[in-house]
Amino acid sequence: MKPDGDSLEPLRKAARLCVLKFGGSVLTNLSAYAEAAAETYRHIRSGEKTIVIVSALHGETDGLYDEAEKVGAGCSPEARARLVRLGEFRSAALMGLALERIGVRAAVVDPHEIGLYAEGDPLDADLCGLDVNRLAEKVEQADAVIVPGFTASHAEAGAAVLGRGGTDLTAVVFAAKSGAQRVRLIKDVDGVYTDDPAKNPNAGRYDRLDYAAALKASNGLIQDKAIRAAEAEGVILEVAAMGAAEATRVLPGPAVIGAARGRRRQRVALLGCGSVGSGVLDHVRQRRDLFALNPVLVRHPEMRAGDRRASFTSQGAEALAGGPDLLVEMMGGADDPAALMADALEAGVHVVTANKAAVAKHFDKLHDAARRGGARFEYSAAVGGGAPMIETVRRLQPVGVSAVEGVMNGTANFILSRLGEGEAFEDALAEAQRLGFAEADPSADVDGHDAADKLSILIREAFGVALPPERIAKRSLSEITPDMCAAAAEEGKVYKQIARAWRVPGGAVDAEVAIEPVALSHPFAGARNEQNRALVTDSHGRVHAVYGKGAGRWPTAAAVFADMMDIQRASACDGGSVSASPVHTSAEPARPRLQRA
Ligand code: HSE
């Protein structure tokens, strides 16, 4: 592809950048978009920006080629290209919805918005232009930029497609032009094999192989044109399954066949199935290849008779039967769940929770138990919901953090947004409760206790200092009236609850949960409704922004599930393999493994 001479600098400066490509082999049904969104979120929470290239839903492009044949046999390639490209547009829009639902800042872009051009046969075209500066603007404003693969604008024909499997080519070109650190092609197999593993059980999985070997071995798994383009552009390809740590890498150098690996199914005890727990249950059901679910602990199993997703029990012993590997605590409260989690951790059971009250109050006890039991204790969702605040301060540990502040309570933010629109306090609170954002005891949100719990955890993570929530000064929402909001609006300001902590000379940390007007230009002013935002200042004075939705079923469940998947991956790396066969990641029946994306 021709270089267009545009500077790559804006993109290089933006962040670590990753191109992810989801093929039709993994986008098998509408539920798969939630899993693809979860996979994208995993990269974002690890500090990468993502360009997400999508294929059409499985089988849809075949259907469109058939339609083109039925309605327009013998018609021009450009007329047929206009039809067969539509699956990718629909898929990109679905991916945008799935990401927005979990609170990721996502932007869906059509080819013409980023000057993506192809030339040659409109049904088998080659990409020839991409406006990198326009792409950089999109990347600047979003954590995930979603692009329909396989299709581009065409100077003469108007629209073109890139040949079967062309989404791989789109991904390679975006990686080459954006200077992305990696391009990962997500398939329904965990890499490239020496032979079709469905037919030959002795087929080996390559850890790495060069482009020429990939052309021979891929057998349509990766588009040939994409492999050639990757070689020409010096792009290293990763071929991986959804949610997997391992990948086959295609790059110059000798081929290496890896040791056979597999992933052990982990037994999960899910305690609590309210709004968030129910979202977690949906994820777990989609990954039955990785997780086996015990009966789910709920107060009233008799009220779950119509819910076919799991069996339900009110008996703790049943929920914890069979020695679970992983306990997911979604019960609420502080002391009881903390005692239960501590026992589990001490017994070597990994624990994931979103329970900020329990984590804030029993931080040392829980971490000590995890250390003693050799278990992992994860609670990303406890702070910021789907906004990766804990991950961000942990990532900055080598540099050090000097201050952190943020909008950390979705309910308070929701109420303040509504008060600013003239709504009554009680109506706004009732709406937040209806939407599942608010705590069981609304004073936790209204009086700043929930934000203080989250801040107390962040202070531990950022500064390694114990500052219990009750020692953090808090202002109550009940002090804020619609008149105060209106007066602030006249000055071009908006009220926000802001939890902040900062190092003071001598090494101590000060903290508060404030409610104050901020200018509309302030980054927190744009946080609407249940959105959370944080600004983390590192010890070099650089400010790192974090975005996401801080409350609600889907964002919170996404963060819980991301923790679960981290634990799953780590146990696979620990040699927890019991299977020598390649992992088939979909809950669908196994299909031939080496198939086109
Ligand atoms: N009540 C909390 C909030 C739920 O509104 O942010 C998420 O922690």
Side-chain angles (χ1 to χ4, degrees):
M1 137 159 212
K2 277 187 292 196
D4 60 12
D6 279 330
S7 163
L8 303 183
E9 220 28 52
L11 279 167
R12 290 215 172 103
K13 277 206 300 223
R16 287 196 296 139
L17 191 61
C18 169
V19 175
L20 288 174
K21 177 259 170 174
F22 294 97
S25 67
V26 292
L27 298 174
T28 50
N29 53 41
L30 291 185
S31 308
Y33 287 88
E35 300 320 302
E39 180 73 358
T40 305
Y41 175 66
R42 151 158 94 104
H43 288 270
I44 292 168
R45 79 182 203 142
S46 77
E48 288 180 320
K49 290 231 180 195
T50 55
I51 297 174
V52 181
I53 314 284
V54 290
S55 295
L57 265 159
H58 184 68
E60 184 159 23
T61 306
D62 288 341
L64 291 166
Y65 273 108
D66 283 352
E67 285 179 10
E69 195 55 33
K70 281 189 187 124
V71 177
C75 287
S76 63
E78 44 267 51
R80 281 181 282 155
R82 283 199 184 265
L83 181 65
V84 297
R85 69 190 174 138
L86 295 182
E88 274 67 18
F89 282 96
R90 175 184 175 212
S91 190
L94 286 167
M95 190 67 193
L97 292 169
L99 283 164
E100 186 178 319
R101 186 170 77 159
I102 63 170
V104 167
R105 286 195 313 158
V108 181
V109 296
D110 288 351
H112 73 270
E113 294 175 83
I114 44 172
L116 180 63
Y117 272 90
E119 61 189 3
D121 177 353
L123 280 174
D124 191 16
D126 288 306
L127 288 172
C128 63
L130 170 64
D131 186 331
V132 177
N133 290 321
R134 280 160 77 187
L135 177 63
E137 278 167 29
K138 302 286 180 189
V139 170
E140 172 82 27
Q141 290 155 14
D143 291 322
V145 173
I146 305 146
V147 181
F150 178 58
T151 185
S153 303
H154 189 289
E156 293 92 42
V161 294
L162 311 179
R164 300 315 301 264
T167 308
D168 288 343
L169 180 61
T170 311
V172 168
V173 166
F174 271 75
K177 296 290 285 176
S178 67
Q181 281 76 9
R182 57 209 299 233
V183 53
R184 196 166 173 93
L185 310 178
I186 312 285
K187 309 274 180 178
D188 69 340
V189 287
D190 56 349
V192 179
Y193 279 75
T194 54
D195 194 3
D196 183 344
K199 294 184 187 145
N200 176 3
N202 296 321
R205 189 182 66 80
Y206 288 105
D207 275 349
R208 56 178 292 168
L209 74 173
D210 70 13
Y211 300 97
L215 277 169
K216 279 201 202 119
S218 117
N219 194 20
L221 180 70
I222 316 169
Q223 191 203 34
D224 286 359
K225 274 204 293 190
I227 298 173
R228 289 198 192 94
E231 182 170 24
E233 300 281 354
V235 168
I236 297 170
L237 295 174
E238 294 175 12
V239 179
M242 191 102 93
E246 64 277 6
T248 293
R249 299 175 79 221
V250 182
L251 71 172
V256 176
I257 296 171
R261 322 173 59 124
R263 283 190 273 175
R264 190 169 67 81
R265 250 174 133 212
Q266 292 197 312
R267 179 161 292 283
V268 176
L270 177 57
L271 310 185
C273 196
S275 176
V276 178
S278 182
V280 174
L281 179 53
D282 274 350
H283 279 295
V284 171
R285 290 254 316 159
Q286 279 294 114
R287 296 309 308 256
R288 277 174 284 192
D289 57 325
L290 300 180
F291 300 109
L293 188 63
N294 269 7
V296 177
L297 186 70
V298 292
R299 254 192 217 111
H300 300 291
E302 69 284 358
M303 290 168 69
R304 306 279 175 158
D307 191 339
R308 303 257 167 261
R309 294 175 300 165
S311 61
F312 295 90
T313 179
S314 56
Q315 304 302 312
E318 258 183 69
L320 295 166
D325 304 288
L326 176 55
L327 184 146
V328 182
E329 186 279 314
M330 300 273 111
M331 298 187 302
D335 298 339
D336 290 347
L340 203 146
M341 288 191 277
D343 285 349
L345 289 163
E346 191 112 33
V349 178
H350 307 301
V351 169
V352 176
T353 185
N355 187 333
K356 55 262 158 175
V359 178
K361 189 167 175 190
H362 300 284
F363 193 91
D364 288 327
K365 173 179 162 170
L366 290 163
H367 281 270
D368 288 348
R371 255 189 306 277
R372 281 197 297 274
R376 283 184 63 158
F377 176 45
E378 301 296 343
Y379 42 87
S380 162
V383 182
M389 295 185 190
I390 290 178
E391 291 88 334
T392 304
V393 298
R394 281 186 186 164
R395 205 166 42 249
L396 291 172
Q397 278 315 307
V399 181
V401 172
S402 63
V404 54
E405 61 176 350
V407 171
M408 295 183 197
N409 180 274
T411 304
N413 200 51
F414 184 89
I415 292 173
L416 286 168
S417 294
R418 295 301 167 101
L419 288 181
E421 288 157 15
E423 201 171 301
F425 182 92
E426 290 71 23
D427 293 345
L429 174 59
E431 178 71 353
Q433 285 169 325
R434 194 186 63 75
L435 291 167
F437 306 154
E439 298 302 304
D441 171 4
S443 77
D445 298 310
V446 171
D447 298 329
H449 303 295
D450 178 84
D453 285 342
K454 292 167 179 168
L455 187 58
S456 172
I457 297 169
L458 263 192
I459 289 168
R460 290 283 202 155
E461 298 284 346
F463 306 110
V465 165
L467 188 56
E470 59 274 14
R471 282 184 31 215
I472 296 175
K474 308 161 197 75
R475 201 171 172 201
S476 170
L477 278 188
S478 56
E479 297 169 41
I480 311 300
T481 62
D483 286 350
M484 289 164 74
C485 293
E490 287 203 354
E491 290 175 22
K493 292 185 172 174
V494 59
Y495 272 94
K496 291 285 162 192
Q497 184 202 60
I498 299 174
R500 58 167 68 93
W502 62 98
R503 270 239 193 257
V504 292
V509 172
D510 261 358
E512 64 176 351
V513 177
I515 300 176
E516 59 196 32
V518 298
L520 289 178
S521 57
H522 191 283
F524 293 161
R528 299 280 307 148
N529 296 334
E530 78 274 31
Q531 285 178 346
N532 279 197
R533 287 188 183 177
L535 296 173
V536 185
T537 308
D538 70 27
S539 49
H540 297 317
R542 285 180 303 230
V543 178
H544 306 259
V546 189
Y547 300 86
K549 283 185 185 164
R553 169 181 296 184
W554 299 114
T556 315
V560 169
F561 186 65
D563 281 349
M564 293 174 69
M565 288 294 290
D566 276 355
I567 290 172
Q568 229 291 339
R569 271 186 292 274
S571 71
C573 296
D574 287 349
S577 164
V578 293
S579 162
S581 59
V583 176
H584 189 84
T585 57
S586 155
E588 301 287 302
R591 293 189 304 275
R593 292 182 192 287
L594 294 180
Q595 65 183 51
R596 289 175 184 278

